[in-house]
Amino acid sequence: MSKADTHYPEDEFDVPNPDAARGVHRAPRSAWSRWWPFLAVLVAAPLAAYGLVTLAAHQDDKPTFSSSQEPEASDGPSASPGASATGGTGETPAAPPSAPTVNTSTPVVVLNAAQIAGLAKSEAKKLTDAGFTAVTPGNFTGTKPADSVVYYASEDLAPTAQLVATTLGISTATLSAADAPSGISVVLASDPSA
């Protein structure tokens, strides 16, 4: 529509060229300015993903250093660089035996055979205070032993049973799967703290 087609008089807001920008309107954007953000994402996202996957894959390849490693024994300045501490036979020296481990989550049953009210419960509390997490008090049935004793079911429980005995002041820890079916059983023939 042209100005000649209207019956209104020309004023200050009329634009002589109908294709030119009017008021706050801007000129049309070029195709490149509209598409470059999408192209940047299409290129940058796969590159970033590749970099993260590569970084994660190489995390396992990094060498780890432990402060517990001991240096190799040396025979002094006369030792040749290729000789090992074992006399050059190429054999790897045997690792020293590991220290026995204590497992405080092992089930411990504390049984009162002394017929002293609350004895099993008070001794069980001592174990709980020492860090044991699965301690159950109860009453003993059967033939009462001469002294208080700690029974453990298997050899791997020996360090834990010894800690139980030390904590309660009991001198005897005995391997007996029949007397300790669930892990460790404590039979109190008398009050250990008395």
Side-chain angles (χ1 to χ4, degrees):
M1 176 188 290
S2 71
K3 186 67 177 168
D5 295 338
T6 65
H7 61 281
Y8 297 107
E10 195 169 313
D11 60 14
E12 62 189 65
F13 298 107
D14 289 336
V15 179
N17 182 358
D19 292 329
R22 298 181 200 149
V24 293
H25 299 285
R26 296 188 178 109
R29 292 172 49 189
S30 69
W32 173 248
S33 67
R34 288 188 308 249
W35 286 99
W36 80 264
F38 297 109
L39 293 175
V41 168
L42 287 174
V43 171
L47 287 176
Y50 175 78
L52 289 173
V53 168
T54 303
L55 179 67
H58 291 295
Q59 288 290 6
D60 295 335
D61 296 341
K62 289 185 179 181
T64 57
F65 299 100
S66 172
S67 61
S68 66
Q69 293 177 346
E70 296 181 13
E72 275 189 34
S74 146
D75 291 338
S78 64
S80 65
S84 69
T86 59
T89 61
E91 295 177 14
T92 306
S98 62
T101 57
V102 174
N103 183 358
T104 57
S105 64
T106 302
V108 180
V109 178
V110 181
L111 301 173
N112 183 354
Q115 298 179 351
I116 299 172
L119 179 62
K121 189 173 184 178
S122 66
E123 297 301 303
K125 182 172 180 345
K126 287 180 186 178
L127 292 174
T128 304
D129 292 344
F132 287 89
T133 58
V135 182
T136 308
N139 289 319
F140 180 75
T141 56
T143 305
K144 176 181 169 182
D147 291 322
S148 297
V149 64
V150 176
Y151 295 110
Y152 55 99
S154 60
E155 282 297 328
D156 60 320
L157 295 175
T160 307
Q162 191 57 49
L163 180 61
V164 169
T166 304
T167 303
L168 298 179
I170 299 172
S171 60
T172 308
T174 305
L175 175 63
S176 174
D179 292 317
S182 63
I184 297 175
S185 293
V186 178
V187 179
L188 300 169
S190 61
D191 188 350
S193 59

